[in-house]
Amino acid sequence: MSPRRNRPKGGENPAERPTGAVGDRFGLQSTESWQGEEWSVRHVAGASAAGKRYRCPGCDQEIPSGVAHLVAWPEYGGVDDRRHWHKACWNARDRRTTKVQRSRNAPRH
C-alpha cells in the first residue's frame, strides 16, 4: 500500500489563497462589505489570544481566552474600531437585531 497523498492533485499551488484574502503572521485576512462599508476581517487563532477576553457585539457574550474567533473593523477605521466576533455571530450579523438587551448587572465593555 502506498502512503496517503496530502498534496492537491491537478497542479494546484497550495500557497495560493482565495481572492481578497491575505495571510500573514496574525491569521487569514479578507475584505467584506457590510452596511455600505468595506470591512477588514481577520481570523484569530485561539492560542494567539491567550489570557485575553473579549465581548462579541453580535451576541453580547464573552469570548473566552483561547477560543478561535475573528476581528472586524471598518476599512478606514482605526485600532479603536476593531471588534472581536464569534464566527457564527459575524456570519449572522444581518439577521441580528440592532439593539442588544443587557441585563441590569452586565458589564458594559
Side-chain angles (χ1 to χ4, degrees), residues 24-40:
D24 62 7
R25 66 185 184 109
F26 298 111
L28 187 65
Q29 183 173 325
S30 62
T31 303
E32 297 183 24
S33 293
W34 183 45
Q35 296 180 339
E37 201 171 356
E38 293 296 314
W39 288 70
S40 294

Side-chain angles (χ1 to χ4, degrees), residues 9 13 27 37 45 48 56 63 66 69 72 82-83 92 98 101-102:
K9 295 181 181 180
N13 185 353
E37 201 171 356
S48 66
C56 175
I63 302 173
H69 59 283
R82 292 185 300 190
R83 296 293 174 258
T98 56
Q101 297 291 322
R102 292 189 176 100

Side-chain angles (χ1 to χ4, degrees), residues 67-88:
V67 172
H69 59 283
L70 54 88
V71 179
W73 65 95
E75 187 71 25
Y76 297 105
V79 174
D80 294 337
D81 296 325
R82 292 185 300 190
R83 296 293 174 258
H84 295 255
W85 293 72
H86 293 108
K87 185 174 181 180

Side-chain angles (χ1 to χ4, degrees), residues 11-12 15 17-19 21 26 30 32 35 38 43 59 83 94 98 100 104 109:
E12 296 177 53
R17 301 201 186 277
T19 306
F26 298 111
S30 62
E32 297 183 24
Q35 296 180 339
E38 293 296 314
H43 294 266
C59 65
R83 296 293 174 258
D94 291 327
T98 56
V100 175
R104 193 176 254 174
H109 294 279

